Amino acid sequence: MSTRAIVKYVLSGDTVVVRPKEVPAKGTAAKERVLHIAGISAPRLGSSTREDEPYSFSAREYLRALLVGKEVAFTVTHSLSSNGPGQDREFVSLLIAPAGPGLPPQEVAALVLAQGWAKMRDGVGEGDEAVRRLGAEEAKKRESLRVIEQQAKAEGKGIWAEQPESQRTVSFQMPADPHTFVAENKDRDIDAIVEQVRDGTQLRVRLLLDEENHQFINLALAGAKSPRASFGRDGDVSLSEPWGEEAKFFTEVRMLQRAIKVQLLSAPVTLGASPFQTGPTPAAANKPAATANGLPAPTVGGASVIIGIAKHPNGNIAEFLCAAGLAKVIDWHAGLLAPHGGLDRIRAAEKVAKDKRLGLWENLGATKASASNGLAPVAQTTKGQQFDATVVRVWGSDQISVVAKGDESGKERRLQFASVRGPRGTDAKQTYWANEAKEFLRKRLIGKTVQVHIDYIKPREGDYEERECVTIHYGNQNNNIAEQLIEKGLATVLRHKRDDEDRSLELDKLIIAEQTAVAETRGLHSTKDVSLPRIVDASESGSRASQYLPSWKRAGKHAAVVDFVSAGSRFKVFMPKENTKITFVLAGIRAPRTARSANEKSEPFGPESLKFASKYMQRDVEIAFDSTDKSGGFIGTMYAPGGVNVAVELVREGLASVHSYSAETLPFGRDLNAAEEEAKKAKKNIWSTYSEEDTTATQTVDESAALAPDYLDVYVSSVKDSDPFGFSVQILEKDSVASLEKLMSNFSLHHRQASSAAPAGFSPKTGELVSAKFSEDNQYRAKVKRSSAIKKEAVLYFIDYGNEETLPFSRIRPLDSKFKSLAGQAKEARLSFVKLVPRSSEYGGEAFRRFNYLTEGRKLIANVDQKEGNLLHLRLIDPADPNAADDPLACLNADLVREGLATIDKSCRYINSYPQVLRKLQDATEGAKRDRLGIFEFGDVSED
């Protein structure tokens, strides 16, 4: 009686492994049987201890392509006792499906012999001897097989070929230098055969590099990880993790001994010991020579696995595993997969499995429910989230605080760099490099917009709060700040446990950066002695402060860094050039006091004043000294980047009041008083309940005053291509649009008639309305600005669109009176408050192109901020801009300033009548300077 089974894989040209047709029970491995095809013998494949016999791989490949994954029927003819503890060796008659309808099943032995990939086994004799040993039916079958063998031999097929097979080189061990091997074969689809499945996402693969060279590797699938499974045919499933056996079976059914394409991405690097480790490790004696801090010299060997993509003809197997709930996404592989489309598809597949509660996610809903019922705390998972943020504080060498863009509450989020460990400890070397790392981060990140990717959430542990661990990119080059930090030797890569999949998005880059730092003995890895600088506290006492004041006051402005903000007008400041720290108090103002302990109570708006002043935390500032107080504090002026007077800004926001007596002696006393009046009128913060007598009687009408809001729908119809910058708009009022459309329609019909042709010798006069054919398309209404009878050409202004062109008389004709009644629709305009950089300047062309891009073909909203004769001063707003919905001051004018392509036009007399808009433009200017955009690319050119 024959048994049916599925061929799992082929060991050689005469031996296969089969499994039952049924899917194994949950948590169990499929039972396997090794079957030897009776009567034939194929060449043996090699191993790590012996080479392939000639034709062995070709013979195996023939049988592999013929049988793997197919259903077969077999009958055991005889068995032999195994020499070892394993099962007896079973010899079978193996059949596969018929070659066509109505035909009998095919004998596998006959097919192999016919192709010349095996020979008949000797030892059973012939004739009566064979009948006696095998039985009449089996002896007859063997005789027919011998005929087939003789035919293949006569035809020189397979092993009987006249020319011997060229010997190929097969490397069964991992490459000696996996990293070089990966580099040499990166971005290449390599033909391969899966020889073994360790678990759902770990494969043993034969790479077919070329006809002569095969290389075995251990391949880990990029982007996904399955649970652990039993290993080997007799593996102990008790060692398996839940769903591990199912994941392994899933991959085996689809991949084992299938021809695939492999793309190599990375070979994990051995990190070595931590430089912060104290004392030798047990294996220290066997490690290679180490650098001074105990970290071994970089090595390229040692990788036992290569990470890559296995491409089945139907797609990436990692996606299918995740979609079936048999693997989880490995987020830290995102950096490896980014050039190949990223993790998006794999994440989407995982989400499908989660939604359907498949496999690993079968209890996902129950877990959430129990947590919400109070049985377990629920962390708000933000893993994989990406957002833009502004860096507001650097805590140390591996932690920063940011405020997410669009977060109206301004809540700070404290973030930890993923897979990074900054210098720790109290010894001089660690402290020195910790300070260097903090300063490195401060200079590059404070106040800057960065891109944040949350790699994993570090749970609360003891006194340590839960922390979001992130990868931070910044700048136009999209630099990874952690990579730069490590490459300079200012931090090291965190040593993760083998099964810890919570790692940095770009862990490979961090490891390479550390190897570079170690090899070049940078920072922590250097052998040079370092010592902490001696920092003097000049505010230690009033007498000490008075010693420094005279010389510092004479020197004018000093570069400084705000180290801490105690209150709205009180700061701790470090002066790097002088190696001195001081307490600094803003002159001329008084800010509300904030509570210094739980027993104290803040004055009204004290916390708000402190919060506003805290935006200068860790910023580079300039300070000028005026006097000292009794406690050793220095009183003076602080200038933020761009020359912004911090005291004036606090007063303008209503978060400090002017101290009249001291303000009178200050050169910016007027500015303080004006800012306070502005805050009072706006009833900002401390002035929210302020009231004053009606002063309207004393006010005079100023022609530079702000106009009432006047919003219009407009279309920019033309842009001047010369300085000073200007443009024309059409006001899209319902009646005017309909009138213009009707006029242009009639205009077009009129000019198709022969009677509309220009009379002979027509010469247009300056100021005359005419009809002219614009060079690019149709006939339009125009006004003659200048006319030359000698050149027979005229300079025309197209009154409905605002553009100008010089045309020959031949393209100009008189304008029929019926087309003169509608006034010209083009209105001359300029940008309110700002001026584009001159077209003749280095950034002029870019500025004009950017304005065209922002306005061309778009329906815009314009507010008329001022009128200068017929010239409209417009603030342009794009209704499609999402910022416009939330920010009433959002406008293209400010956008161009923020990009460094326009500047505030101080010649506009009405500018101070729009204080909120002015502050918006000032902030935009500061942002452009800070990010080195446009004209500020090489520094602050505002003084120029």
Side-chain angles (χ1 to χ4, degrees):
M1 180 179 176
S2 64
T3 303
R4 292 181 177 271
I6 301 295
V7 177
K8 186 173 181 180
Y9 60 101
V10 174
L11 292 174
S12 65
D14 60 12
T15 306
V16 300
V17 177
V18 298
R19 63 170 176 84
K21 294 168 59 178
E22 298 77 18
V23 175
K26 182 178 178 181
T28 62
K31 300 296 182 183
E32 298 178 4
R33 291 174 70 175
V34 180
L35 306 179
H36 304 272
I37 301 174
I40 67 172
S41 175
R44 300 290 94 188
L45 280 166
S47 68
S48 58
T49 57
R50 69 171 190 270
E51 291 186 352
D52 288 352
E53 292 180 2
Y55 302 103
S56 59
F57 179 71
S58 300
R60 197 288 298 263
E61 282 299 278
Y62 171 77
L63 201 58
R64 179 187 68 79
L66 182 68
L67 297 182
V68 169
K70 306 283 181 62
E71 183 178 342
V72 296
F74 64 91
T75 305
V76 178
T77 60
H78 64 286
S79 61
L80 297 176
S81 297
S82 175
N83 294 329
Q87 298 175 341
D88 292 345
R89 297 176 67 199
E90 295 182 304
F91 290 83
V92 300
S93 173
L94 195 63
L95 302 175
I96 61 170
L103 299 176
Q106 301 177 87
E107 179 74 45
V108 173
L111 296 174
V112 175
L113 289 168
Q115 297 299 320
W117 295 125
K119 59 177 68 174
M120 292 294 297
R121 286 183 181 272
D122 297 326
V124 295
E126 298 181 14
D128 293 341
E129 178 66 14
V131 171
R132 185 179 64 78
R133 289 191 174 211
L134 302 173
E137 185 177 346
E138 184 65 23
K140 184 179 178 181
K141 185 189 296 183
R142 294 289 177 93
E143 192 59 37
S144 65
L145 292 179
R146 287 191 185 279
V147 173
I148 294 171
E149 179 189 45
Q150 292 301 320
Q151 180 68 26
K153 192 172 184 179
E155 295 175 2
K157 290 186 176 181
I159 62 177
W160 310 112
E162 293 182 7
Q163 296 293 330
E165 183 183 45
S166 58
Q167 192 68 25
R168 67 176 53 84
T169 301
V170 182
S171 299
F172 290 91
Q173 304 297 331
M174 283 284 287
D177 186 349
H179 307 87
T180 301
F181 181 78
V182 170
E184 290 174 348
N185 292 282
K186 211 160 191 177
D187 301 324
R188 172 189 170 196
D189 282 346
I190 306 173
D191 290 317
I193 298 170
V194 178
E195 298 288 3
Q196 188 179 33
V197 176
R198 186 179 183 90
D199 61 37
T201 51
Q202 293 192 76
L203 315 174
R204 177 109 169 124
V205 173
R206 179 195 288 256
L207 300 179
L208 311 180
L209 301 178
D210 53 47
E211 287 290 334
E212 311 299 329
N213 293 281
H214 292 181
Q215 173 68 58
F216 277 78
I217 64 165
N218 302 322
L219 181 71
L221 300 185
K225 182 172 177 58
S226 291
R228 185 176 61 245
S230 59
F231 187 66
R233 285 198 295 275
D234 301 319
D236 184 357
V237 295
S238 65
L239 300 176
S240 300
E241 294 176 336
W243 296 100
E245 294 302 325
E246 285 75 12
K248 180 179 179 181
F249 182 78
F250 184 95
T251 302
E252 282 181 340
V253 167
R254 292 158 178 80
M255 302 287 281
L256 185 58
Q257 282 206 331
R258 301 306 206 281
I260 63 170
K261 300 280 188 182
V262 169
Q263 193 157 19
L264 307 180
L265 301 182
S266 172
V269 180
T270 301
L271 295 176
S274 168
F276 307 112
Q277 182 174 302
T278 56
T281 61
N286 300 322
K287 289 189 175 181
T291 57
N293 60 14
L295 202 134
T299 174
V300 294
S304 59
V305 67
I306 289 175
I307 300 170
I309 302 171
K311 298 180 181 178
H312 185 275
N314 291 335
N316 185 347
I317 187 65
E319 291 179 32
F320 295 103
L321 279 162
C322 286
L326 298 174
K328 294 182 178 180
V329 171
I330 303 180
D331 286 295
W332 73 269
H333 282 184
L336 301 178
L337 286 168
H340 309 280
L343 276 175
D344 291 347
R345 291 173 64 92
I346 301 177
R347 283 200 180 101
E350 184 186 66
K351 185 178 184 302
V352 169
K354 286 181 176 179
D355 292 342
K356 294 181 179 179
R357 304 293 187 265
L358 299 178
L360 293 162
W361 313 110
E362 61 180 345
N363 297 318
L364 183 64
T367 302
K368 288 184 176 179
S370 64
S372 61
N373 289 332
L375 300 178
V378 181
Q380 184 179 359
T381 303
T382 52
K383 185 175 180 179
Q385 179 186 352
Q386 297 186 59
F387 58 94
D388 289 344
T390 301
V391 179
V392 295
R393 187 167 185 178
V394 175
W395 291 95
S397 52
D398 53 16
Q399 288 187 23
I400 62 173
S401 281
V402 303
V403 174
K405 291 286 187 183
D407 186 351
E408 297 295 334
S409 67
K411 182 182 178 182
E412 293 186 16
R413 294 169 70 168
R414 188 163 174 171
L415 308 175
Q416 168 85 41
F417 294 155
S419 300
V420 176
R421 191 172 194 270
R424 302 277 199 280
T426 56
D427 63 284
K429 182 173 183 178
Q430 299 298 320
T431 305
Y432 176 87
W433 291 113
N435 291 340
E436 290 292 303
K438 183 177 180 181
E439 181 63 7
F440 176 84
L441 294 175
R442 187 193 72 80
K443 285 183 175 179
R444 281 156 182 79
L445 297 185
I446 280 293
K448 301 288 179 63
T449 297
V450 298
Q451 295 82 47
V452 181
H453 181 279
I454 300 179
D455 298 323
Y456 56 93
I457 309 297
K458 191 175 182 181
R460 180 171 183 165
E461 186 177 344
D463 295 333
Y464 296 98
E465 296 291 329
E466 179 183 273
R467 186 81 71 236
E468 293 172 316
C469 298
V470 303
T471 295
I472 299 281
H473 290 94
Y474 75 100
N476 295 332
Q477 302 301 317
N478 205 28
N479 300 306
N480 182 342
I481 190 65
E483 181 184 0
Q484 293 182 334
L485 196 69
I486 291 170
E487 192 172 38
K488 289 184 176 293
L490 301 176
T492 57
V493 181
L494 189 66
R495 273 64 184 164
H496 292 279
K497 295 179 181 177
R498 182 178 293 273
D499 58 349
D500 181 8
E501 295 301 338
D502 285 339
R503 307 182 182 195
S504 165
L505 179 73
E506 299 182 358
L507 181 64
D508 271 31
K509 291 184 178 179
L510 303 188
I511 294 168
I512 294 169
E514 182 171 299
Q515 286 187 324
T516 302
V518 173
E520 299 182 8
T521 63
R522 296 176 183 168
L524 287 160
H525 315 287
S526 66
T527 56
K528 70 175 183 179
D529 292 329
V530 293
S531 58
L532 294 171
R534 180 174 176 270
I535 298 174
V536 176
D537 184 0
S539 292
E540 187 177 30
S541 64
S543 59
R544 186 162 199 173
S546 61
Q547 295 174 13
Y548 289 93
L549 181 64
S551 60
W552 285 356
K553 189 174 181 179
R554 285 194 302 271
K557 291 181 180 179
H558 298 255
V561 178
V562 177
D563 198 46
F564 186 73
V565 182
S566 307
S569 60
R570 198 172 187 87
F571 305 83
K572 295 288 185 183
V573 172
F574 175 62
M575 300 166 64
K577 188 176 179 182
E578 291 80 6
N579 243 10
T580 306
K581 61 181 180 179
I582 62 171
T583 298
F584 193 81
V585 183
L586 298 181
I589 67 170
R590 182 190 178 280
R593 191 175 65 248
T594 54
R596 289 173 291 182
S597 67
N599 299 325
E600 290 188 12
K601 187 177 180 180
S602 297
E603 292 181 351
F605 296 98
E608 290 82 356
S609 179
L610 173 62
K611 183 178 180 180
F612 182 87
S614 293
K615 72 179 184 179
Y616 300 108
M617 175 93 79
Q618 295 183 328
R619 301 293 182 97
D620 289 310
V621 296
E622 288 186 313
I623 53 177
F625 296 94
D626 183 66
S627 59
T628 60
D629 61 22
K630 294 179 181 179
S631 62
F634 290 84
I635 302 171
T637 312
M638 179 182 291
Y639 298 95
V644 176
N645 189 318
V646 175
V648 173
E649 290 301 298
L650 272 163
V651 172
R652 182 175 284 117
E653 290 299 319
L655 296 172
S657 58
V658 177
H659 189 270
S660 301
Y661 177 75
S662 58
E664 288 177 1
T665 63
L666 297 173
F668 54 90
R670 278 189 176 184
D671 295 336
L672 288 174
N673 290 322
E676 187 174 73
E677 287 302 313
E678 188 180 317
K680 286 178 179 178
K681 287 179 182 178
K683 293 194 172 184
K684 286 187 175 181
N685 296 313
I686 62 176
W687 308 111
S688 56
T689 58
Y690 176 77
S691 62
E692 59 181 346
E693 296 180 359
D694 187 12
T695 58
T696 55
T698 62
Q699 293 177 350
T700 58
V701 177
D702 186 354
E703 64 179 6
S704 64
L707 300 183
D710 182 16
Y711 291 104
L712 306 170
D713 289 333
V714 301
Y715 171 80
V716 175
S717 54
S718 71
V719 180
K720 286 179 63 177
D721 59 359
S722 59
D723 294 325
F725 173 74
F727 54 95
S728 297
V729 296
Q730 290 178 348
I731 299 175
L732 304 178
E733 295 173 351
K734 185 177 181 181
D735 292 339
S736 63
V737 171
S739 298
L740 181 62
E741 287 179 349
K742 183 179 179 181
L743 180 141
M744 294 311 299
S745 176
N746 294 336
F747 203 58
S748 178
L749 290 172
H750 173 75
H751 284 94
R752 292 177 190 170
Q753 301 171 11
S755 59
S756 67
F762 174 67
S763 179
K765 305 292 187 294
T766 299
E768 183 180 3
L769 285 177
V770 296
S771 170
K773 188 170 178 60
F774 187 57
S775 60
E776 293 183 10
D777 45 24
N778 299 320
Q779 205 87 12
Y780 298 102
R781 301 192 302 169
K783 187 174 184 178
V784 180
K785 293 187 72 174
R786 290 188 303 276
S787 178
S788 173
I790 299 174
K791 295 182 179 179
K792 295 192 178 300
E793 61 182 23
V795 178
L796 303 178
Y797 171 75
F798 290 89
I799 62 173
D800 294 315
Y801 298 89
N803 41 346
E804 294 184 7
E805 189 172 34
T806 301
L807 293 176
F809 287 175
S810 60
R811 300 183 65 169
I812 305 171
R813 60 192 67 184
L815 182 66
D816 193 287
S817 59
K818 63 184 177 182
F819 298 118
K820 294 181 180 180
S821 58
L822 181 66
Q825 297 298 294
K827 305 295 182 184
E828 295 296 298
R830 59 154 288 177
L831 291 173
S832 306
F833 313 110
V834 305
K835 55 184 179 182
L836 237 58
V837 297
R839 194 177 185 91
S840 57
S841 70
E842 181 181 356
Y843 298 92
E846 182 181 351
F848 277 66
R849 285 192 296 273
R850 183 61 174 161
F851 180 83
N852 278 318
Y853 173 82
L854 293 172
T855 60
E856 190 171 11
R858 303 189 190 195
K859 179 181 176 182
L860 303 174
I861 297 171
N863 183 61
V864 181
D865 295 307
Q866 197 56 253
K867 294 180 180 178
E868 188 179 345
N870 292 325
L871 181 67
L872 302 178
H873 291 234
L874 300 182
R875 195 182 336 155
L876 297 177
I877 302 161
D878 184 354
D881 182 1
N883 293 325
D886 302 320
D887 182 3
L889 300 178
C891 58
L892 302 188
N893 310 48
D895 291 344
L896 290 164
V897 172
R898 181 63 180 83
E899 294 175 21
L901 300 176
T903 57
I904 299 173
D905 187 357
K906 296 178 181 178
S907 67
C908 291
R909 290 188 298 170
Y910 55 86
I911 193 167
N912 290 320
S913 300
Y914 295 84
Q916 290 179 312
V917 177
L918 178 57
R919 279 198 299 278
K920 173 90 174 173
L921 296 174
Q922 289 170 338
D923 290 343
T925 302
E926 294 310 314
K929 291 178 182 178
R930 184 176 60 248
D931 294 340
R932 297 292 184 87
L933 299 178
I935 60 175
F936 302 107
E937 182 179 2
F938 300 106
D940 186 354
V941 297
S942 55
E943 297 301 323
D944 299 338

